[in-house]
Amino acid sequence: MASQPLVFGILNVTPDSFSDGGLWENPDNAVAHARAMVAAGADVIDVGGESTRPGATPIDTDEEQRRVLPVIRALCGEGIVVSIDTMRAATATAAVSLGATYVNDVSGGLFDAGMVTAVTHSPAVYIAMHWRGDSAVMDDRAAYDDVTKDVVSELEERVERIMDAGLEPNRLWLDPGLGFAKNPEHNWELLRNLESFVELGYPVMVGASRKRFLAPFGENPIDRDEATAVISVLAAEAGAAAVRVHDVGRSARAFAVRSTWQGDSDDR
Ligand code: PMM
């Protein structure tokens, strides 16, 4: 029986993320929200301190750590599996030392030259996303000859550099980076060809949740959760290992339906 992807619940401890900015800035609220996501079926909580939306204001490492580390300490203390969403080696290292299991780097090691070495010297799993530049420039870089081929080959180049640094292959995951230097048609094309990423041989994460390309199915980001849950199941069918979502309950229930369809007795 096919297993279901892991569900990463998004916890943005930021004042300015596109769909949930400001909601979880207070650490007590953030921890309560993480517990609720775990109760709803999250396998992992992905904690981020810096918004990556187009045009977001960059912050420094101290501010990022001030936002995320107290929350990570509390979650790891409760035995919750944590992923740190950061492009910075110092924040990744601090988070892993508090017990984070995954380092989710939207820049795939391109933002901070020390990141890949830092992760290699830690016990963490590294999630390397396809990236062509930070939020100030990414929309201008959404030009491809063939988006799937180009993103696959740019990710393969990252894999080579990451392997050169000594990371064991079983500690690497990949992510096509929906919405990062991609227009809506690019995102759909990447989803249609998700198997091309799965075929690279590493677990693949899909982060479609509430993104702008889902606007035809919900004008406001929070109205895009049904579309997100459908994508979770379609991504699972294509072989994704994990989905990163704001509304954990909808994707977890969608996976339970898939599991029952498949005749699996363990229907999560
Ligand atoms: N998208 C966002 C942030 N982090 N990480 C991964 N691996 N994949 C993604 O698609 C991704 C990410 C976008 O910002 P949000 O936290 O506001 O959804």
Side-chain angles (χ1 to χ4, degrees):
M1 264 352 123
S3 62
Q4 306 304 319
L6 294 180
V7 178
F8 280 55
I10 300 171
L11 185 60
N12 286 322
V13 195
T14 60
D16 58 346
S17 285
F18 76 98
S19 85
D20 54 357
L23 284 179
W24 322 119
E25 254 187 298
N26 170 307
D28 291 339
N29 294 348
V31 171
H33 182 54
R35 286 191 199 118
M37 288 196 284
V38 170
D43 299 288
V44 181
I45 300 299
D46 188 41
V47 183
E50 180 176 23
S51 173
T52 49
R53 73 180 160 77
T57 316
I59 56 166
D60 63 23
T61 306
D62 286 348
E63 175 61 15
E64 183 186 42
Q65 296 193 8
R66 191 193 63 74
R67 292 178 185 178
V68 297
L69 296 184
V71 174
I72 291 173
R73 185 178 290 112
L75 297 183
C76 292
E78 294 187 16
I80 292 174
V81 181
V82 167
S83 162
I84 171 69
D85 185 343
T86 185
M87 301 190 289
R88 296 182 176 84
T91 302
T93 302
V96 174
S97 74
L98 291 175
T101 304
Y102 299 85
V103 172
N104 173 25
D105 176 5
V106 298
S107 83
L110 289 170
F111 178 84
D112 181 339
M115 177 61 110
V116 174
T117 308
V119 178
T120 299
H121 290 127
S122 84
V125 170
Y126 186 49
I127 305 172
M129 201 192 79
H130 175 261
W131 190 80
R132 280 187 164 185
D134 64 24
S135 43
V137 299
M138 64 185 182
D139 281 354
D140 297 333
R141 298 191 181 166
Y144 300 87
D145 291 330
D146 174 325
V147 66
T148 303
K149 279 194 189 143
D150 294 354
V151 173
V152 164
S153 85
E154 287 169 35
L155 269 181
E156 282 178 320
E157 148 77 20
R158 296 314 309 148
V159 171
E160 253 181 65
R161 297 285 81 77
I162 293 164
M163 292 300 132
D164 288 349
L167 190 80
E168 298 85 349
N170 65 1
R171 288 205 285 136
L172 180 62
W173 290 22
L174 299 176
D175 184 326
L178 300 175
F180 288 78
K182 282 111 192 161
N183 66 29
E185 191 41 47
H186 293 142
N187 295 321
W188 289 113
E189 189 66 16
L190 292 171
L191 286 170
R192 268 177 223 122
N193 293 311
L194 205 59
E195 285 88 351
S196 304
F197 294 89
V198 173
E199 281 163 9
L200 294 174
Y202 299 91
V204 170
M205 167 174 273
V206 170
S209 190
R210 297 183 180 173
K211 286 186 178 167
R212 271 180 304 168
F213 76 106
L214 300 179
F217 312 104
E219 200 184 332
N220 297 314
I222 56 161
D223 297 329
R224 300 171 193 161
D225 288 331
E226 287 79 12
T228 301
V230 173
I231 289 180
S232 291
V233 172
L234 295 172
E237 290 296 310
V243 295
R244 180 184 177 278
V245 295
H246 299 86
D247 183 338
V248 166
R250 277 189 173 82
S251 284
R253 286 192 294 279
F255 288 148
V257 173
R258 175 176 184 250
S259 178
T260 309
W261 174 296
Q262 292 167 332
D264 209 330
S265 53
D266 171 22
D267 68 358
R268 296 166 65 100

